[in-house]
Amino acid sequence: MIEAKKRFGQNFLKDSTVLNKIIQSMSNTNRNVVEIGPGLGDLTQELLREKSLIAYEVDKDLCVHLRKKFHKEIEENRLKLVEADVLECFEKGSLEDQPYDLVANLPYYIATKIILEALEDPMCQSLLVMIQKEVALKFSAKPNTKEFSSLSILSQSIAKVTILFDVDQSSFEPPPKVISSIISIKKNKEFYQKQDSLFDSISDFKQFKRYLRVAFASPRKTWIKNISAVYDKTKALDLLEEYNIPANFRPHQLCVNDHLNLFRELLKIKVNNGKEDNKHAQ
Ligand code: SAM
């Protein structure tokens, strides 16, 4: 019997109703599917009924088990199993050289990092992933709520984000301490087709991520207070006036579009001021 390893965030999904619901929620496309953390292979087995897939698993004991369980599918090239830490793979570039959909019950200790990497991976077109409910609420939150954060803005600036359903602890072996949610993140076509894109390139998207880090440095402080640690305060105040935004607004009170507009204007300021450029690039 294979024991679950805490250090790899192993909580195996054992509920066939939930497995079926995940499969039914998948996008109906002929794109490739990538699974991160196939574990004992229960979700993998269901996915293989629908599609060929590439699965990334870090645990070598589980890889031995998966190679045995799926030897036929591996031989027939319907499953490619990559034994590796997926975060290291993201560092090297896209997980696939073709457009793909990510479907996974993610290891919770690195779920946010994986989602952020997948958002930046131009080959990844959509994510259907199980994560902690608390984190799912952050990605899908609306302005003026306590969960609305840089994660909400970053993901919603390029994708439609929806929580599909919650999953109780009893569906897993061993049960996790928290409630889980299945979240769907479908990237807007404009983002990956690069026509009329909000961002001209992934590098602009990365800059937007840095802008959000500054804007939300102290979420309880006002946007202007946070931003003026890096940008010229007078110019930033002028921008707020131009966009009819009260100067005492906190970052979570601004909607996604406000942040995008302010970011684009600040990029122009950055060009005019080398000092700000250096700080922003850190
Ligand atoms: N998919 C299985 C299921 O639904 O039962 C297992 C999900 S379990 C929550 C997370 C899986 O991710 C485990 O198999 C774990 O070994 C794997 N994992 C953890 N860290 C990883 C990493 N850095 N790269 C790839 N896989 C990882």
Side-chain angles (χ1 to χ4, degrees):
M1 208 185 95
I2 298 178
E3 296 249 330
K5 298 184 182 96
K6 250 191 181 166
R7 71 175 189 284
F8 289 138
Q10 291 173 358
N11 300 98
F12 302 115
L13 180 58
K14 287 288 166 198
D15 186 328
S16 57
T17 315
V18 177
L19 284 166
N20 284 336
K21 272 173 96 173
I22 296 175
I23 300 296
Q24 278 158 22
S25 310
M26 280 169 60
S27 309
N28 195 7
T29 70
N30 46 18
R31 288 191 288 259
N32 293 350
V33 170
V34 169
E35 185 188 7
I36 293 175
L40 294 172
D42 293 42
L43 178 59
T44 319
Q45 187 140 39
E46 296 306 316
L47 289 169
L48 280 167
R49 288 188 214 283
E50 311 287 320
K51 310 250 183 177
S52 299
L53 70 135
I54 301 184
Y56 288 80
E57 176 56 65
V58 73
D59 182 342
K60 66 176 182 345
D61 296 331
L62 285 179
C63 285
V64 171
H65 162 82
L66 291 163
R67 278 188 209 103
K68 272 191 209 141
K69 180 170 174 140
F70 296 115
H71 70 96
K72 191 161 157 266
E73 289 82 354
I74 292 173
E75 241 172 56
E76 290 170 356
N77 283 327
R78 291 201 289 122
L79 171 65
K80 183 177 163 203
L81 178 65
V82 184
E83 184 178 327
D85 177 338
V86 77
L87 290 178
E88 285 174 14
C89 299
F90 271 124
E91 265 172 36
K92 291 179 200 146
S94 290
L95 291 190
E96 254 277 62
D97 46 17
Q98 307 272 333
Y100 71 88
D101 296 312
L102 175 62
V103 184
N105 170 16
L106 291 178
Y108 294 175
Y109 74 109
I110 46 169
T112 302
K113 273 192 184 158
I114 291 176
I115 294 177
L116 292 177
E117 291 292 347
L119 287 177
E120 267 180 36
D121 182 347
M123 288 302 163
C124 177
Q125 317 284 283
S126 80
L127 298 85
L128 178 67
V129 288
M130 174 120 67
I131 53 177
Q132 285 153 274
K133 180 171 183 164
E134 196 191 327
V135 179
L137 286 171
K138 283 192 183 153
F139 277 103
S140 60
K142 297 290 169 227
N144 264 317
T145 61
K146 75 174 186 330
E147 288 87 8
F148 193 63
S149 65
S150 51
L151 292 181
S152 336
I153 297 163
L154 195 69
S155 51
Q156 292 171 37
S157 69
I158 60 160
K160 187 170 185 313
V161 183
T162 327
I163 294 187
L164 300 184
F165 56 92
D166 292 345
V167 182
D168 191 71
Q169 287 103 316
S170 59
S171 298
F172 301 87
E173 192 46 54
K177 290 203 175 74
V178 292
I179 295 190
S180 309
S181 297
I182 290 281
I183 188 167
S184 152
I185 303 181
K186 284 190 178 161
K187 290 189 188 173
N188 305 331
K189 277 208 180 78
E190 302 78 38
F191 181 61
Y192 51 81
Q193 287 181 348
K194 304 238 172 75
Q195 291 151 2
D196 272 341
S197 177
L198 286 166
F199 301 100
D200 287 339
S201 64
I202 290 290
S203 103
D204 279 0
F205 183 62
K206 285 188 177 164
Q207 296 222 49
F208 186 51
K209 200 161 136 188
R210 283 190 215 118
Y211 152 84
L212 289 173
R213 215 176 287 146
V214 176
F216 280 85
S218 301
R220 282 158 177 250
K221 289 189 182 160
T222 57
W223 177 88
I224 190 70
K225 186 128 188 126
N226 286 328
I227 275 298
S228 50
V230 172
Y231 293 95
D232 183 291
K233 189 173 177 180
T234 319
K235 287 178 187 163
L237 277 168
D238 288 347
L239 285 181
L240 289 180
E241 201 176 318
E242 193 182 318
Y243 284 91
N244 282 322
I245 298 169
N248 62 352
F249 263 30
R250 297 196 169 89
H252 71 274
Q253 292 177 294
L254 301 167
C255 67
V256 176
N257 266 341
D258 286 338
H259 279 288
L260 280 168
N261 286 334
L262 292 168
F263 160 69
R264 278 198 210 99
E265 298 290 350
L266 287 170
L267 271 185
K268 291 183 205 156
I269 295 179
K270 195 188 79 173
V271 173
N272 295 332
N273 188 332
K275 196 178 98 210
E276 286 157 5
D277 192 10
N278 283 339
K279 279 192 184 172
H280 199 215
Q282 281 162 12

